[in-house]
Every structure is written in structure tokens, then in C-alpha cells.
Amino acid sequence: MDELVALCKRRGFIFQSNEVYGGLQGVYDFGPLGVELKNNLKNAWWESMVYENDDIEGLDSSILTNPLVLKYSGHESTFSDPMVDCKSCQKRFRADQVPPECKKEDLTEPRQFNLMFKTNVGPIDDGSSFAYLRPETAQQIFTNFKNVIDSTSKQIPFGIAQIGKAFRNEITPRNFIFRVREFEQMELEYFVKPGNDEQALDEWVQKRLNWWRDQGVPIEKIELYNVPTDELAHYSKKTVDLMYMFPHGLEELEGIANRTDFDLASHSKKQDELNITSNVEKNKHSNSKMAVQDKKGDWIVPYVIEPSAGVERGILAVLNEAFVEEDLGDGKTRIVLKLKPHLSPIKAAILPLKKNNEEIVTLSKEVKNSLQKLGLGRVILENTGNIGKGYRRHDEIGTPVCITVDFESIEDSTVTIRDRDSMDQVRVKISELTEIYKNKIK
Ligand code: ATP
């Protein structure tokens, strides 16, 4: 973990947030390379959900959330963790995460601590008008259920996907970006006919494992954890957690839950007219009937399967898998990030051999522009004149190919293309570069 954290800071992937003022615990900033990596991971998820499935639509809902949404979702009453104080070190911990140095007799009785952040809304700052920062992206998917159905004519089974920020006032944020207070989630709510839910859950577990494999996290490295009944969230009939061996231990990367009809039923008006299977609070505020009619005209409240993944945890897993320290013989080593090319922050680096040679630099710019125009991600021209250093830097940040432009290039329109993983260098014609490049980074 220490090496990863150091690399992230050194190369500009991830920084401690608000660092110049001593930081703010549990929040991080993504630097120039981090933002590219993060966008690439989110795009890969979005493509696999929304673009590859005609039965899934996207959504981008607000972060500020009406407290009634989180009252009926059960978050106000249940979204809490048990907290204890240690009288000896004067620190506060989540009851299941007390460090071994704290003696049992020094700990207070656990009490519940709600993890939601509140903020004032409007010009009066007396607490009478507040909103929550959403603790998950899911709830606004449920509250938009009717809007999406009415505007897209979708019929079950269908899904709504969303990527966005979520906020949790974690008692003990830790392990770099693994447990933070501000993070992003990639959530799908997939609505199915009751009775088809169990099969749908199994299918989504498999699809999600395959997706993580395609991001460079092998299926063998993920353990499936069937959450025991007494640990299930209040809405869940079954939850399968994808557990990954992070640098600090085996922990949840993504959760796939069968949320039954709990959420739609909870947010629905006229609940008596619906055949609701879960135990929900009577809703006195909603103006929407969160149900669909079957061919006979009977109302059905769909069951929901929810694959919910954290972007930060995904990035940590992807970086952890990609990070390799390779022995090059003769006591030499290199650090290389063997990221899947579609995730690499920079797809290709163009390195002019001489930084002050106009012809070489002009040709390098042309090469850069022609590859950049393909729209496959960021291509940079790095005019430092130090090829060896360029290769080392781009190995460390996971750039799949480096392209060197030299004196020969001006004579015969060829360049050297170097592969990150094999370190092989091949001379190719510039006219063939586009095809070679496309094949390398796809
Ligand atoms: P944990 O048990 O680790 O606190 P959780 O079960 O509360 O996680 P969910 O509510 O299922 O998490 O959220 C779905 C996903 O969101 C998680 O699998 C994780 O990837 C991500 N996530 C949740 N809390 C955090 C956090 N504090 N920091 C970073 N990612 C998080």
C-alpha cells in the first residue's frame, strides 16, 4: 500500500485533499492522471451498462436530497454504525474497528451514529430547512422510477444506471481511498418481476465478475461472500459481496443486493392498492405510485437487483493489480503499471529525440495530432529530449506505447514504437501507425 500511495502522489494520480491546510480526513483529490483513470473506469462501466444493454437507461440525479426520501428509504432510522469512545486515547472508533492497543475496559458502550451529512438549504441558517447529501446514488433512481418509465416506455425487466458522488460520515475513514467520506458509486437498479429476482441476482453476479476481469481484476482474485441473514441490510433478501484482497486485506469491492420491492413500495402512494411483500412504513407524502401494470391490468411492484460498486475501491483494486516491480537483471528494476490500455490515463506518448530540432518537433506534433484525433483518449507530446527518462515515467504511469521521433524519421517517415509490457521497440512507417496504435490500445 505504501508504494502505491507514494506512486499516486509522485506521479499525480491521487493527493490528500486540502493538504496545504493540513488536509481533511477521509477525502482525496484526483490529480492529472487520476482524473483520466477515474473517467476511464467510469466510462467502461457506463458503456457496459447503458450502451451495451438496450434495457438499461442512464440517470444523473441531484446530490442534495429531500429528507423525506431518506426517511422512507429507512436511512434516517437505520443508516448508522455503532460507535465507541476510548477513554484512554480519547479517540472515537467504529465498534468493529477498534485498534488492538485500546483496552476493552477503556471503551464506552456502543451507541448508534448516523452516517448521513446534513446541510442547510435556503437563506435561513437555523436548521429548519435542510437537505441530506445523498449517502448512495440509488434512492434518486427509485424516486425517478416513474419519470423514466413514462419518458422511455420501458417495461420490466429494465434497469436505471447512475454514477455519482455519495457521502458518508464514516467514523474511521482509512486505508487510503478505500474508506472515505466523499466517494463515487456506480449503481444499477435492475427492476424485475417478483419471482425472477433470484435468477437475476445470480446473472448479475456473473456479469459483474466478468466486468472486473475486463478491468484487470482477475475473477480468481475475487471471493463471493453471501452476507449472512443477520447482517443483511433492512431492505435485502440476499446480498452477495464481491470481496477483493486489497493491500490491507480482504474487503468489499462491490455489493450485489436483492432489494426486493422495499424501495419502490416505500416511496409509493396508495400502498394499500399494491401487493407489497416487504415491511414498509406507511407513506403519507409521496405523490407517485411506484408500480407497473401487467397485461391483465394488475399492479406489480417490481423487485430490484442492485449491483453497487465504489469507484475509489475500483481504482485501488485496478492499481493494485497493475502495479509490478520488474527485475531487469544486472541489479536493475523498473516499476510498471500494467493497466488495461482502455484504462491508461495516457494512451501514447510522443517523444522527440532532440527537443530543439524544429523538424523533429514539427513531425512529432503531426504524429500527436493524428493519433489524438482518433478520439481514443489522451495522447501527449513530451518534449524533454530524454528518451530513457520518458520510457521510465510512462512505464510507471501505465502508458501502453511510446513513440519516438528521430533524425531517421525525417528521412524515411518512420518512427520507433515501444511497447510498455514487452519493452520491444519496432520501427514502423508513419503511414501504418494509426492501425498499429489502434490494435495496441484496444
Ligand atoms: P462497508 O461494509 O465496507 O462499509 P457498505 O456495505 O456499507 O460497505 P454499500 O452500502 O454496499 O457499502 O455501498 C456500495 C459500494 O460503495 C461498496 O461496495 C463500496 O465499493 C462503496 N463504498 C461504500 N462506502 C464507501 C466508503 N466509505 N468509501 C469508499 N467506497 C465506499
Side-chain angles (χ1 to χ4, degrees):
M1 181 74 108
D2 291 346
E3 277 178 275
L4 255 188
V5 175
L7 174 83
C8 284
K9 169 137 198 203
R10 184 169 74 245
R11 294 302 188 183
F13 281 93
I14 300 165
F15 309 124
Q16 171 72 58
S17 194
N18 304 276
E19 202 175 7
V20 295
Y21 292 108
L24 181 63
Q25 225 201 338
V27 288
Y28 285 88
D29 295 337
F30 284 77
L33 297 180
V35 63
E36 297 292 338
L37 172 59
K38 201 181 193 198
N39 285 341
N40 293 341
L41 189 70
K42 291 192 288 185
N43 287 340
W45 186 90
W46 194 261
E47 251 176 52
S48 81
M49 290 293 180
V50 183
Y51 296 174
E52 287 173 18
N53 297 291
D54 291 331
D55 61 350
I56 297 180
E57 298 292 334
L59 181 76
D60 181 21
S61 69
S62 70
I63 287 169
L64 293 177
T65 307
N66 185 325
L68 287 172
V69 172
L70 295 155
K71 166 185 158 62
Y72 286 109
S73 69
H75 283 80
E76 275 193 340
S77 51
T78 65
F79 198 64
S80 45
D81 277 339
M83 174 175 73
V84 293
D85 290 312
C86 173
K87 289 177 219 154
S88 165
C89 68
Q90 312 281 328
K91 286 197 179 131
R92 219 157 237 190
F93 302 101
R94 208 168 104 172
D96 59 349
Q97 294 173 355
V98 179
E101 313 79 86
C102 298
K103 292 199 205 102
K104 226 175 171 182
E105 55 270 28
D106 290 335
L107 300 176
T108 58
E109 280 299 307
R111 55 201 192 286
Q112 290 301 319
F113 172 74
N114 195 293
L115 301 181
M116 289 196 293
F117 283 100
K118 273 182 185 174
T119 189
N120 286 310
V121 172
I124 301 159
D125 186 12
D126 65 357
S128 62
S129 172
F130 74 94
Y132 289 112
L133 304 188
R134 65 184 178 200
E136 59 180 27
T137 65
Q139 288 308 318
Q140 302 279 37
I141 295 183
F142 300 127
T143 57
N144 275 296
F145 176 73
K146 272 292 191 192
N147 287 334
V148 175
I149 287 216
D150 293 346
S151 56
T152 63
S153 312
K154 283 274 174 294
Q155 290 177 344
I156 53 169
F158 81 98
I160 305 177
Q162 172 158 233
I163 300 177
K165 291 259 182 179
F167 300 82
R168 297 183 186 181
N169 196 4
E170 296 281 354
I171 299 166
T172 31
R174 57 187 185 167
N175 296 321
F176 193 35
I177 53 169
F178 176 83
R179 184 174 301 287
V180 283
R181 291 184 169 135
E182 175 177 342
F183 56 99
E184 283 192 79
Q185 290 184 314
M186 306 182 281
E187 293 196 303
L188 169 72
E189 306 303 326
Y190 195 73
F191 303 98
V192 298
K193 208 170 137 197
N196 295 348
D197 50 310
E198 292 179 11
Q199 191 191 340
L201 181 118
D202 294 342
E203 286 170 8
W204 275 109
V205 169
Q206 201 48 51
K207 285 186 204 166
R208 296 302 302 145
L209 285 171
N210 293 345
W211 186 82
W212 282 112
R213 177 202 59 210
D214 295 345
Q215 311 317 309
V217 183
I219 294 179
E220 315 80 73
K221 296 273 187 83
I222 295 178
E223 226 172 82
L224 297 184
Y225 176 66
N226 257 311
V227 178
T229 317
D230 58 339
E231 286 175 26
L232 285 174
H234 60 281
Y235 50 74
S236 175
K237 171 173 157 186
K238 179 173 175 182
T239 296
V240 179
D241 285 344
L242 308 191
M243 308 291 284
Y244 170 75
M245 185 56 86
F246 286 95
H248 63 278
L250 186 71
E251 293 225 47
E252 178 182 331
L253 170 65
E254 167 163 357
I256 301 158
N258 182 343
R259 296 183 77 127
T260 69
D261 58 0
F262 177 85
D263 301 276
L264 290 180
S266 293
H267 292 304
S268 191
K269 69 173 182 182
K270 298 191 178 166
Q271 289 160 320
D272 319 339
E273 294 174 11
L274 302 172
N275 188 9
I276 297 170
T277 61
S278 43
N279 188 7
V280 297
E281 188 179 341
K282 182 145 187 57
N283 195 314
K284 302 187 202 99
H285 297 90
S286 168
N287 56 27
S288 180
K289 198 169 180 182
M290 302 277 182
V292 292
Q293 274 175 300
D294 66 12
K295 288 195 184 93
K296 286 186 279 167
D298 293 336
W299 286 100
I300 300 172
V301 186
Y303 267 40
V304 180
I305 304 304
E306 176 197 67
S308 170
V311 175
E312 282 73 4
R313 289 188 191 181
I315 289 192
L316 194 53
V318 161
L319 284 175
N320 188 43
E321 286 299 323
F323 185 96
V324 181
E325 193 166 355
E326 257 178 18
D327 188 352
L328 302 177
D330 296 336
K332 286 192 201 136
T333 58
R334 69 161 184 162
I335 289 175
V336 49
L337 269 190
K338 295 196 169 177
L339 290 168
K340 293 276 180 187
H342 71 277
L343 294 179
S344 292
I346 293 169
K347 307 300 179 201
I350 319 299
L351 310 171
L353 185 71
K354 285 266 175 261
K355 66 175 176 183
N356 298 324
N357 183 296
E358 213 185 303
E359 281 180 289
I360 290 182
V361 174
T362 304
L363 184 57
S364 301
K365 279 184 190 157
E366 282 169 25
V367 172
K368 180 222 146 110
N369 291 341
S370 69
L371 297 186
Q372 186 63 69
K373 262 200 279 186
L374 299 172
L376 298 172
R378 189 165 186 206
V379 177
I380 64 163
L381 170 68
E382 219 163 61
N383 195 10
T384 61
N386 188 332
I387 306 296
K389 237 182 175 171
Y391 287 165
R392 265 199 303 287
R393 171 179 139 77
H394 285 284
D395 282 347
E396 267 198 36
I397 65 174
T399 308
V401 292
C402 287
I403 295 162
T404 303
V405 181
D406 56 19
F407 291 105
E408 232 179 295
S409 309
I410 303 164
E411 302 298 319
D412 63 1
S413 291
T414 61
V415 289
T416 303
I417 179 160
R418 175 189 183 266
D419 182 274
R420 174 194 72 196
D421 297 345
S422 66
M423 295 189 284
D424 287 346
Q425 297 183 29
V426 187
R427 196 90 201 167
V428 301
K429 290 198 185 109
I430 292 180
S431 57
E432 289 164 5
L433 192 57
T434 302
E435 278 315 301
I436 298 168
Y437 168 71
K438 277 194 203 159
N439 284 331
K440 287 247 183 221
I441 69 153
K442 77 170 177 231

